[in-house]
Amino acid sequence: MTVTVRGGTMCAAEQQAYVEEMRRRHPDKIFTSLTFTLDGDYVDVEYEYEPVPFERIRRITGYLVGTLDRFNDAKRREVDDRVKHTKV
């Protein structure tokens, strides 16, 4: 994890306290970076998480599916024949 301090200096103990607090508040997240922006008595904290993998679920020909690997040939053909709409 990268830690960046802008607008002043922050001791390592204070940085570590913020990091521990962020981990306590978001135990299921993995942080990739934290940026502390000092503004007088205030500290703004910006953070980025590690991307969370997910499986895309689509509604195709009346079925909720993630992939087409379980479709038979007829269903695959239905998918291929669908009209694809694009934004203009």
Side-chain angles (χ1 to χ4, degrees), residues 57-74:
I57 302 293
R58 301 176 287 174
R59 184 171 183 264
I60 299 176
T61 65
Y63 297 93
L64 293 175
V65 297
T67 63
L68 306 179
D69 59 344
R70 296 182 58 200
F71 275 15
N72 62 26
D73 292 339

Side-chain angles (χ1 to χ4, degrees), residues 1-82:
M1 168 182 10
T2 60
V3 177
T4 307
V5 178
R6 295 183 186 150
T9 59
M10 181 184 284
C11 70
E14 189 175 4
Q15 290 178 28
Q16 187 61 33
Y18 275 106
V19 168
E20 289 172 10
E21 179 63 18
M22 293 300 291
R23 286 184 177 151
R24 187 189 66 77
R25 288 185 182 201
H26 306 282
D28 56 334
K29 305 289 185 184
I30 298 174
F31 294 95
T32 57
S33 70
L34 288 171
T35 303
F36 303 115
T37 304
L38 306 177
D39 184 18
D41 292 337
Y42 299 98
V43 176
D44 292 328
V45 180
E46 297 174 37
Y47 47 89
E48 291 184 20
Y49 301 130
E50 200 170 79
V52 177
F54 65 93
E55 182 180 343
R56 179 179 173 195
I57 302 293
R58 301 176 287 174
R59 184 171 183 264
I60 299 176
T61 65
Y63 297 93
L64 293 175
V65 297
T67 63
L68 306 179
D69 59 344
R70 296 182 58 200
F71 275 15
N72 62 26
D73 292 339
K75 280 293 178 198
R76 288 177 199 255
R77 208 164 299 119
E78 278 185 52
V79 171
D80 292 338
D81 292 342
R82 288 176 56 196

